[in-house]
Amino acid sequence: MLITLQKRYNVIAMKDRPNIFVSYSQKDAKDVQSILAQIPQRGFAFWDATDITPGANWALEVGKALEQASAMLIFFSPNYFSSQYSQRELEYALSSPRFEGRLISVLLKPTSRVPWILERFPFIDATTKPASASKQIAKALQTAEVSKR
């Protein structure tokens, strides 16, 4: 399922590339895709729910992607905290040891609905300079020890 997203972001699928699970509200898809398209590719493969084939078992495909992910990018916005699917992905990431030190938060749009537990995590602010956020995300992925997963 990585093929669709990888084509969008000019990434070649390789088994040795760390898979990055991208969690966001579908209502913010255009903004998220714009930021991801600007990330200098340094050996990462991005996955999001748009890669699920129509008719496939959505929950099973998301579950597989989460289990295979080396890190998770979360794009926060009011839409994100209104989505039950986004909430489930976030809950999984916060409760899974596999994402410890590998959860990268991005503030896409200002929101006052950030759960208290996330307030202790640093985040990348993409609200004013998305291009700068893309560079920061790339740097965070490099330093998050993603490749050791």
Side-chain angles (χ1 to χ4, degrees):
M1 298 299 167
L2 289 169
I3 303 301
T4 304
L5 190 62
Q6 290 171 345
K7 285 181 182 175
R8 267 188 292 191
Y9 305 121
N10 299 317
V11 177
I12 300 170
M14 294 177 63
K15 289 186 179 186
D16 61 340
R17 288 181 181 238
N19 293 323
I20 311 303
F21 188 98
V22 184
S23 180
Y24 61 92
S25 167
Q26 290 301 309
K27 293 178 181 177
D28 297 326
K30 184 178 176 182
D31 294 329
V32 170
Q33 291 169 1
S34 174
I35 290 170
L36 291 179
Q38 296 178 48
I39 293 178
Q41 300 304 321
R42 301 180 198 263
F44 299 108
F46 296 99
W47 187 95
D48 72 6
T50 62
D51 292 323
I52 299 173
T53 306
N57 182 326
W58 184 88
L60 180 64
E61 294 299 321
V62 170
K64 281 190 224 176
L66 285 166
E67 287 299 317
Q68 295 172 359
S70 300
M72 181 183 255
L73 272 174
I74 298 177
F75 288 86
F76 297 136
S77 72
N79 293 327
Y80 187 87
F81 293 112
S82 296
S83 166
Q84 68 176 342
Y85 301 110
S86 298
Q87 294 296 304
R88 289 179 186 157
E89 293 166 1
L90 177 60
E91 289 169 6
Y92 180 86
L94 290 173
S95 65
S96 175
R98 90 177 288 106
F99 292 113
E100 187 174 334
R102 295 176 176 88
L103 179 63
I104 300 166
S105 303
V106 180
L107 181 62
L108 187 62
K109 296 177 184 172
T111 181
S112 60
R113 298 181 63 189
V114 177
W116 67 269
I117 194 162
L118 292 177
E119 291 177 359
R120 68 183 186 109
F121 292 105
F123 65 88
I124 296 168
D125 189 345
T127 59
T128 57
K129 297 181 181 177
S132 175
S134 296
K135 291 176 185 172
Q136 292 177 43
I137 292 168
K139 183 177 180 181
L141 290 171
Q142 289 293 323
T143 60
E145 299 184 22
V146 173
S147 60
K148 294 182 181 178
R149 205 65 178 127

